[in-house]
């Protein structure tokens, strides 16, 4: 760096970074930042493209520790990613003929969640099953392995989207490869009937607000679609004056065309963070494909 200067050195060491490869920012977890530095300088993967094979070959298989849906125990499971089939699969036994689950690349997302999972390499993978979100939680003891899996999933998403949207450039597709959640944390909620407020773990994933009894639940207890202001969605500071039964003092009211959702946060700073996340979504115009998702939510039983 001293002899070449920072910009020249960076240009050399990053000369062949694949467009799908995740470039971490200062806010990302330590694993992503460390493995980016190791890939760039130690392994020199971006000056020797043949070293990118673990995440760019279009096929990957191996074993990951996966959290059991019911007992919460992490067990070794075989995972297979195949771009040709457009799917990530996992098997309960290494010799099993049929996969336990098939996750379509089209609806798949992956985001590192070390604090939630309780492991520095913890990855949360979500996919749609019967148009409801399903979570699986995995990790590998080797940090490089885990980041290679993450980038292999992003590569598969990238190649799927290139086919689905042939006119789109890399700049349009790369933001769609994986996404971090807009906001997560505990809030109290009440149902549409007169039941009291209950503490739930909430996750804001793009326009889906999901709530869980436990942060590591496989399925959400419920999902709420948050549309745009033009479509009749608004977010209000506080709760209606007649509201009773909430223990936490900082209320939020989400107004949808169908009903109001009443939420309460423990602290004012949490309320502000949630309000900001909701307003970002409500202020963003809806895309054509999001109207189809909204219609499905309206017809859910």
């Amino acid at each position: 760096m001293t002899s070449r200067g920072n910009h020249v050195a960076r240009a050399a060491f990053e000369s062949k970074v694949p467009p799908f490869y995740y470039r971490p920012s200062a806010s990302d977890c330590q694993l992503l930042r460390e493995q980016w530095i190791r890939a760039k300088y130690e392994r020199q993967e971006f000056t020797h493209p043949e070293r990118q094979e673990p995440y760019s070959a279009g096929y990957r298989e191996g074993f990951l520790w996966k959290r059991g849906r019911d007992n919460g125990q992490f067990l070794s499971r075989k995972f297979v990613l195949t771009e040709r089939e457009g799917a990530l699969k996992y098997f309960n036994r290494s010799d099993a003929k049929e996969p336990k689950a098939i996750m379509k690349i089209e609806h798949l997302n992956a985001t590192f969640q070390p604090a939630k999972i309780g492991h520095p390499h913890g990855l949360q993978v979500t996919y749609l099953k019967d148009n409801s979100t399903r979570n699986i939680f995995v990790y590998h003891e080797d940090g490089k392995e885990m980041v290679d899996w993450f980038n292999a999933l992003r590569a598969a998403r990238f190649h799927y989207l290139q086919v689905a949207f042939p006119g789109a450039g890399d700049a349009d597709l790369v933001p769609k490869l994986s996404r971090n959640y807009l906001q997560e944390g505990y809030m109290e909620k009440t149902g549409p009937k007169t039941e009291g407020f209950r503490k739930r773990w909430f996750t804001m994933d793009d326009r889906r607000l999901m709530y869980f009894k436990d942060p590591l639940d496989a399925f959400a207890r419920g999902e709420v679609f948050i549309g745009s202001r033009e479509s009749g969605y608004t977010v209000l500071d506080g709760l209606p004056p007649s509201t009773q039964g909430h223990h936490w003092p900082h209320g939020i009211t989400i107004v949808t065309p169908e009903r109001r959702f009443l939420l309460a946060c423990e602290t004012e700073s949490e309320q502000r963070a949630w309000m900001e996340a909701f307003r970002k979504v409500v202020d963003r115009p809806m895309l054509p494909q999001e109207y189809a998702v909204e219609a499905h939510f309206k017809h859910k039983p």
Side-chain angles (χ1 to χ4, degrees), residues 9 21 80-81 160 195 213 224 276:
Y21 197 97
V80 174
L81 172 66
Y160 161 77
E195 64 183 70
K213 192 169 183 181
V224 181
E276 185 181 343

Side-chain angles (χ1 to χ4, degrees), residues 25-273:
S25 67
S27 61
D28 280 306
C29 66
Q30 182 181 339
L31 176 67
L32 279 170
R33 289 181 284 126
E34 178 189 323
Q35 288 301 319
W36 164 251
I37 292 165
R38 290 188 183 279
K40 188 160 56 164
Y41 300 117
E42 191 176 78
R43 300 190 292 268
Q44 297 189 12
E45 292 174 14
F46 311 132
T47 50
H48 300 276
E50 69 276 7
R51 297 176 187 173
Q52 299 170 12
E53 195 267 343
Y55 45 82
S56 61
Y59 180 88
R60 183 179 174 87
E61 68 172 73
F63 288 85
L64 296 172
W65 293 98
K66 176 193 169 290
R67 188 179 191 273
R69 189 183 75 185
D70 299 319
N71 61 10
Q73 200 176 358
F74 279 90
L75 297 169
S76 180
R77 293 289 181 253
K78 180 183 174 184
F79 281 78
V80 174
L81 172 66
T82 162
E83 285 190 18
R84 187 173 55 81
E85 296 176 32
L88 173 68
K89 303 182 277 190
Y90 81 85
F91 300 79
N92 267 357
R93 296 193 320 276
S94 56
D95 60 348
K97 296 278 193 295
E98 296 298 318
K100 177 70 174 171
I102 299 174
M103 299 160 252
K104 286 293 183 188
I105 295 298
E106 178 185 0
H107 301 300
L108 191 116
N109 185 47
T111 177
F112 279 98
Q113 295 274 14
K116 186 198 286 189
I117 294 169
H119 192 281
H121 306 160
L123 186 75
Q124 180 173 350
V125 178
T126 60
Y127 63 100
L128 290 182
K129 185 174 182 178
D130 304 324
N131 211 52
S132 291
T133 305
R134 165 86 158 91
N135 297 319
I136 64 168
F137 303 95
V138 296
Y139 71 85
H140 194 287
E141 294 293 354
D142 186 313
K144 178 186 182 299
E145 280 285 311
M146 203 65 254
V147 174
D148 283 351
W149 269 106
F150 177 62
N151 281 303
L153 292 172
R154 283 175 57 88
R157 290 265 308 153
F158 183 63
H159 298 139
Y160 161 77
L161 290 169
Q162 282 182 313
V163 174
F165 304 99
D170 291 357
D172 298 314
L173 300 182
V174 167
K176 296 181 170 65
L177 302 186
S178 63
R179 60 192 181 273
N180 295 325
Y181 300 133
L182 299 176
Q183 184 71 14
E184 279 198 295
Y186 282 107
M187 288 191 287
E188 291 182 328
K189 70 166 285 290
T190 186
K193 302 187 177 70
T194 54
E195 64 183 70
F197 278 78
R198 295 207 171 111
K199 181 180 166 184
R200 294 289 181 255
W201 177 266
F202 281 81
T203 297
M204 188 75 206
D205 183 10
D206 199 28
R207 290 195 183 274
R208 286 176 185 257
L209 176 64
M210 299 169 282
Y211 54 92
F212 306 83
K213 192 169 183 181
D214 184 274
L216 296 175
D217 282 348
F219 293 99
R221 288 294 179 98
E223 300 189 34
V224 181
F225 182 84
I226 311 284
S228 65
R229 202 175 300 282
E230 294 84 358
S231 300
Y233 294 82
T234 53
V235 184
L236 305 174
D237 189 337
L239 297 170
S242 59
T243 309
Q244 294 180 332
H246 52 100
H247 302 97
W248 289 347
H250 304 283
I252 299 173
T253 301
I254 298 175
V255 182
T256 76
E258 277 70 48
R259 55 168 284 207
R260 289 171 176 243
F261 292 88
L262 307 183
L263 310 170
C265 301
E266 187 174 16
T267 68
E268 190 178 348
S269 62
E270 287 171 342
Q271 183 209 34
R272 279 200 303 269

